[in-house]
Amino acid sequence: MASISQEFSGDVLVIGAGMAGLRIIYELRKQGFSAHGIEAGSDVGGTWYWNSYPGARTDTEAWGYAFFFDEALASEWSWSERYPSQPQMREYLEYVATRFDLRKSFQFNQFVSSARFDDTDNKWVVETDKGNRFSATYLVTACGVLSSPVMPDIVGLQRFKGQAIHSARWPKEKVNFAGKRVAIIGSGATGVQLLPVVSQVAEHVSMFQRTPNYVIPARNNPLVEYDRENLRGRFATMQEQIRNHVFASTFDPNPRSFLDLDEEERDKVLEAKWEWGGFQFVFETFNDFFSNPECNAALAGFIRKKIRTIVNDPKTAEILCPDYPLFSKRPPLGHGYYEAFNRANVSLVDISKNGIEEITADGIRVAGVEHPFDIIIFATGFDAGTGALTDIDIIGTGGVSLRDKWADGPVSYLGICVDQFPNMFMIAGPQGPLSVIPPAIEAECVWIGQVLDKARSQGSDRIEVRPAAAREWKAAVDNSAVGTLLENASSVRSWYMGANVEGKAHVMQFYVGGFKDFADRLEGAVASGFSDLEFSVAHKDRQLDTVKQSAG
Ligand code: NA7
């Protein structure tokens, strides 16, 4: 390793230049703090920088997957489709970075390998794989919820002579599918987006499916100026909708219970929302789909009926039909996914029973049969929530390691603070809300800014969450899933429960009590004068004086 060089010393270090990193730098600058960001990629974008595979786009409508901190930004930016493509999302974030001059606060092309809290100096010291060292009083992790790719440990992986690509590490050079035999391993949101696009060019695509998903049609469409004008007029309304929605969506709360209607009426509701497309099928049909098994089964049965209608080959259709509760795995939105199985150049390989036997020099062997391929795409997901943090050697006070502390699952306060890790704040960290991610990012960034402002205004420079408050939040996170269909999430290897990663603790990784409730709690913490946090002054001799909390 190159010799360590000191690069920055100031108030706040930020890891990551995705949506969260950009938003927090903006917030901190506004508050007058000196802040510096470090990013592994060569530019801003995070998720939308790395996931450049064909067909990548948001599963949330453009207007709900954007920043709300500046109305002028919202009004001058023009979305071109209902669900923005990865190139447009990246363009948007680059535009934001330029518009608010955020790039100058970042150093790119270096991966943070360690972050250590120095008790003596009351500072976080961060080192990168480029041998650079940065230090600051506070550390903000903005590393992403789904950013640490999981490459499955399949025998023979290194032997493959063709091109092997993980979807989240897509090559910068164009991948040429023409005339190629392509395997897609994984049928989550990523595989579901890849298949219809790749199969238009490739000679043949084989989808290796271990667990089927409930794929809801997205019904993407281009937006015209009339739509954009309409959105501009709804800026405040949409903020309000997001703030009060269980999933932080731009939908109104849904008062309709499954029990309110008879079977025929229920079917009409489901049919209408299926045609509308998007997560409205889940959030605008019946408000008890999460807690009432009968309601959930009705939605699930409706989707299975659709699969059997769309897919011509009955055997293929049956393999595509899931049989677990809807939403215990994150359902993907599809853009002609089921229809793609009617193409002559697409086949489905069912690996639900025995998995993939091995990867050979020429392809993939399943149940004794070798399937030859030129390209294998691993759409095999992420170590969600904790992965991006435990990839870094994060050491708190007294030498405690975050990896060790979270060996049995994450424990945090509101998904933002961790006891024994003073002056560290996570954006979109584990135990944050299970919701559309950008609204959670914005709410958390504002909150972190308020905490730091309070510390500064009272002369403290050390902030630590009370361990009891973190324990209480862990209990709230665990309890939030009780009595919901998410209790099954572990059995279907859902990333909600960390169950998609070998050896990871199977515990609820996100708060499922609803975004509205989460936002209420953030506001409650502000109103209490952050009574769950301990603010103190760190003297050079390491004696800490607790600053008296002023309530309210
Ligand atoms: P997901 O949703 O975690 O999907 C990963 C897929 O890869 C899933 O179908 C897995 O099957 C499959 N997988 C993982 N390991 C293997 C092995 N060893 N063999 C065969 N198949 C495997 O990741 P995505 O990238 O699609 O989406 C992640 C999120 O990004 C998504 O939920 C949205 O929020 C956006 P399994 O289901 O485990 O049987």
Side-chain angles (χ1 to χ4, degrees):
M1 171 176 304
S3 64
I4 300 281
S5 66
Q6 183 77 30
E7 297 282 337
F8 170 82
S9 191
D11 295 327
V12 190
L13 276 173
V14 174
I15 307 175
M19 280 189 105
L22 293 173
R23 182 64 181 84
I24 193 70
I25 291 281
Y26 173 86
E27 191 68 25
L28 293 169
R29 262 199 217 161
K30 195 176 81 180
Q31 299 263 10
F33 291 103
S34 61
H36 190 76
I38 307 152
E39 164 60 48
S42 62
D43 201 354
V44 302
T47 288
W48 303 105
Y49 170 95
W50 294 104
N51 287 273
S52 58
Y53 60 85
R57 61 177 68 245
T58 67
D59 274 357
T60 300
E61 279 124 338
W63 47 92
Y65 198 93
F67 289 124
F68 277 86
F69 65 85
D70 187 292
E71 190 165 353
L73 166 69
S75 124
E76 71 205 28
W77 180 259
S78 292
W79 295 110
S80 50
E81 291 175 276
R82 178 175 173 184
Y83 303 95
S85 65
Q86 175 270 335
Q88 189 164 48
M89 273 312 298
R90 192 170 163 191
E91 205 185 312
Y92 171 69
L93 296 175
E94 288 174 358
Y95 178 78
V96 171
T98 305
R99 167 94 161 58
F100 298 97
D101 198 14
L102 300 174
R103 270 194 195 83
K104 70 174 185 208
S105 293
F106 284 97
Q107 259 169 284
F108 295 95
N109 296 308
Q110 46 197 319
F111 178 80
V112 171
S113 45
S114 71
R116 175 180 293 272
F117 185 70
D118 179 335
D119 277 300
T120 312
D121 286 345
N122 191 53
K123 279 196 184 318
W124 277 96
V125 179
V126 161
E127 289 182 6
T128 74
D129 61 353
K130 292 278 157 63
N132 294 325
R133 175 182 288 169
F134 306 81
S135 68
T137 309
Y138 301 103
L139 174 69
V140 176
T141 65
C143 316
V145 179
L146 296 150
S147 55
S148 175
V150 171
M151 197 66 175
D153 188 16
I154 301 175
V155 178
L157 187 56
Q158 305 309 329
R159 258 182 273 157
F160 183 58
K161 287 192 304 209
Q163 195 174 7
I165 312 168
H166 192 289
S167 52
R169 291 292 177 269
W170 202 258
K172 287 206 165 74
E173 320 72 58
K174 186 174 159 50
V175 178
N176 183 10
F177 291 108
K180 301 281 169 55
R181 297 158 305 175
V182 182
I184 300 175
I185 302 178
S187 53
T190 301
V192 163
Q193 290 185 336
L194 273 158
L195 177 70
V197 179
V198 175
S199 63
Q200 283 174 33
V201 186
E203 180 184 306
H204 193 91
V205 184
S206 302
M207 170 61 93
F208 286 77
Q209 177 194 275
R210 193 165 62 179
T211 312
N213 268 299
Y214 292 100
V215 181
I216 300 165
R219 313 263 185 234
N220 193 22
N221 56 266
L223 299 178
V224 295
E225 196 43 41
Y226 171 82
D227 302 313
R228 291 191 277 266
E229 207 41 55
N230 181 29
L231 288 172
R232 285 180 196 116
R234 296 186 58 236
F235 184 76
T237 310
M238 290 193 298
Q239 265 182 308
E240 195 63 24
Q241 285 176 314
I242 287 172
R243 168 63 179 78
N244 293 314
H245 192 262
V246 62
F247 205 61
S249 298
T250 50
F251 308 156
D252 286 326
N254 178 13
R256 185 172 40 219
S257 158
F258 183 69
L259 305 173
D260 293 343
L261 307 181
D262 66 26
E263 207 179 321
E264 196 184 327
E265 292 167 325
R266 287 170 186 162
D267 236 45
K268 274 194 193 144
V269 169
L270 290 173
E271 191 63 47
K273 292 299 172 188
W274 180 264
E275 283 310 313
W276 186 264
F279 282 115
Q280 286 88 336
F281 178 77
V282 175
F283 292 106
E284 292 194 336
T285 47
F286 310 112
N287 62 13
D288 35 3
F289 82 94
F290 223 38
S291 53
N292 175 351
E294 200 196 339
C295 173
N296 193 290
L299 268 71
F302 183 92
I303 300 177
R304 282 193 291 271
K305 210 166 62 189
K306 289 292 181 188
I307 296 171
R308 291 174 183 130
T309 312
I310 297 168
V311 178
N312 296 337
D313 175 39
K315 231 173 104 192
T316 303
E318 283 321 298
I319 300 168
L320 287 168
C321 283
D323 63 356
Y324 52 84
L326 171 65
F327 229 95
S328 47
K329 276 171 103 69
R330 154 73 150 76
L333 294 194
H335 301 259
Y337 178 68
Y338 292 128
E339 290 81 353
F341 290 97
N342 294 334
R343 297 177 66 103
N345 69 336
V346 170
S347 42
L348 179 64
V349 185
D350 180 9
I351 52 167
S352 58
K353 299 221 163 42
N354 301 313
I356 291 171
E357 208 173 296
E358 63 170 337
I359 293 181
T360 64
D362 299 314
I364 299 176
R365 191 189 307 278
V366 172
V369 179
E370 187 176 6
H371 303 252
F373 294 109
D374 304 300
I375 300 173
I376 302 177
I377 302 174
F378 291 85
T380 44
F382 302 89
D383 183 350
T386 54
L389 295 161
T390 53
D391 283 350
I392 303 170
D393 200 14
I394 301 182
I395 307 293
T397 186
V400 62
S401 135
L402 192 67
R403 274 185 209 127
D404 293 346
K405 188 173 173 75
W406 284 357
D408 297 327
V411 185
S412 76
Y413 173 64
L414 298 171
I416 301 176
C417 304
V418 184
D419 64 291
Q420 296 180 288
F421 293 78
N423 293 1
M424 182 179 97
F425 301 89
M426 304 179 292
I427 309 171
Q431 299 192 330
L434 186 71
S435 70
V436 176
I437 296 170
I441 286 173
E442 291 226 70
E444 291 171 6
C445 287
V446 170
W447 193 87
I448 292 166
Q450 289 168 316
V451 172
L452 295 189
D453 183 49
K454 177 180 164 83
R456 179 178 53 190
S457 66
Q458 63 185 31
S460 41
D461 59 359
R462 183 170 159 130
I463 307 163
E464 193 167 2
V465 63
R466 300 180 201 283
R471 283 196 299 274
E472 276 165 30
W473 181 244
K474 156 107 178 97
V477 169
D478 291 344
N479 288 336
S480 67
V482 174
T484 76
L485 277 309
L486 280 176
E487 285 184 307
N488 294 293
S490 182
S491 64
V492 288
R493 297 195 196 92
S494 172
W495 57 258
Y496 294 164
M497 292 284 283
N500 64 323
V501 177
E502 200 77 19
K504 190 169 174 175
H506 293 196
V507 295
M508 185 40 75
Q509 302 267 317
F510 302 93
Y511 179 64
V512 290
F515 178 75
K516 180 188 181 320
D517 181 79
F518 178 77
D520 287 346
R521 287 174 188 253
L522 290 182
E523 283 177 12
V526 176
S528 76
F530 301 104
S531 57
D532 288 325
L533 303 179
E534 191 165 317
F535 293 80
S536 54
V537 181
H539 294 307
K540 283 219 156 49
D541 60 3
R542 301 185 61 210
Q543 292 297 306
L544 303 178
D545 292 340
T546 301
V547 173
K548 293 263 175 291
Q549 295 282 310
S550 56

